[in-house]
Amino acid sequence: MFLIFLGPPGVGKGTQCKRVVEMYGLPHVSTGDIMRAAIQDQTALGSQVKSYLDNGQLVPDQLVVDVVAERLRQEDCAEGCLLDGFPRTIAQAEALALFFQQQNKQLTGTLQLTADKDEIKRRLVERADKENRPDDTPETISERLQVYEQQTSPLVEFYEQRNTLHRVDGMGTPDEVFDRIRGVLDLL
Ligand code: AMP
């Protein structure tokens, strides 16, 4: 099962993805986690991407596409994985579609997690307190929300047109949201 999780920063993607990978035994491919680890480990990739993450901007498409392609070629992703935070632009989505086509693989579904704006801001502030992520400052939070609106939200229509989009209401407790996600995944 190849899944994409779409949704703005703060909608609860990270929390829900963790539960999904546990329950369905899928490798969790989070581009944000991969890049944070690269920065932490001071690799070449880390130094290339650090300023983008610090400023809440998107890393250039080609860099991210290469990182994901390399990860998807690994053995554990042969039968499926959960993509978290990728794709984030139409160009990335097109590159992913081409990759799947070349590998004779098929996207199983795209889950779009939604929540209203006030709730998203509240969750981001809460996460900033808890996790101490350097890109959770008020300035970068608002930059990342804007980047999502402009560059990532067009993916909703992209996947709608390909009949793979499933909307999931992300309001409520993590348990309530996870039950809704399970309801969708069990039908796929
Ligand atoms: P996330 O943990 O998914 O919120 O990602 C944190 C940051 O990593 C983003 O604000 C971007 O700077 C970068 N990033 C993660 N995934 C991507 C992607 N698919 N394309 C471009 N930049 C990304």
Side-chain angles (χ1 to χ4, degrees):
M1 184 155 72
F2 287 94
L3 297 175
I4 292 173
F5 263 68
L6 263 186
V11 77
K13 254 185 310 134
T15 307
Q16 295 300 331
C17 285
K18 269 187 212 132
R19 293 182 173 210
V20 170
V21 296
E22 267 171 34
M23 174 158 282
Y24 294 85
L26 291 169
H28 185 187
V29 178
S30 157
T31 43
D33 283 353
I34 293 172
M35 289 188 281
R36 276 185 291 276
I39 293 170
Q40 180 107 41
D41 298 345
Q42 301 185 341
T43 65
L45 174 68
S47 65
Q48 277 174 294
V49 302
K50 186 175 184 318
S51 66
Y52 297 101
L53 272 85
D54 285 348
N55 294 312
Q57 282 160 357
L58 293 187
V59 169
D61 288 331
Q62 198 54 53
L63 256 179
V64 193
V65 166
D66 289 347
V67 164
V68 172
E70 189 188 318
R71 180 68 189 88
L72 290 185
R73 279 195 206 96
Q74 287 169 9
E75 189 58 38
D76 62 327
C77 292
E79 300 297 324
C81 72
L82 186 159
L83 287 164
D84 170 8
F86 180 91
R88 258 179 157 97
T89 64
I90 295 282
Q92 292 178 17
E94 282 170 347
L96 180 67
L98 186 65
F99 179 85
F100 277 144
Q101 199 187 338
Q102 286 165 346
Q103 304 273 316
N104 244 334
K105 293 186 164 117
Q106 206 159 12
L107 176 64
T108 314
T110 306
L111 270 78
Q112 181 201 4
L113 265 186
T114 62
D116 61 45
K117 285 210 166 85
D118 288 342
E119 176 63 10
I120 285 172
K121 287 205 174 127
R122 196 193 62 73
R123 289 181 188 177
L124 279 168
V125 170
E126 190 180 87
R127 182 170 82 186
D129 288 343
K130 262 197 218 149
E131 294 182 14
N132 208 11
R133 262 175 60 160
D135 61 345
D136 272 344
T137 64
E139 295 76 31
T140 47
I141 285 175
S142 96
E143 174 69 18
R144 281 186 294 133
L145 288 171
Q146 215 176 329
V147 165
Y148 180 82
E149 273 313 312
Q150 287 169 355
Q151 305 201 52
T152 308
S153 66
L155 294 182
V156 170
E157 199 185 325
F158 181 94
Y159 287 113
E160 227 161 23
Q161 284 169 354
R162 282 155 184 79
N163 294 322
T164 63
L165 192 82
H166 303 270
R167 250 185 214 101
V168 176
D169 178 5
M171 298 292 285
T173 66
D175 284 345
E176 286 165 347
V177 177
F178 186 57
D179 281 346
R180 291 180 204 131
I181 292 174
R182 259 192 5 210
V184 171
L185 294 185
D186 290 345
L187 295 176
L188 290 180

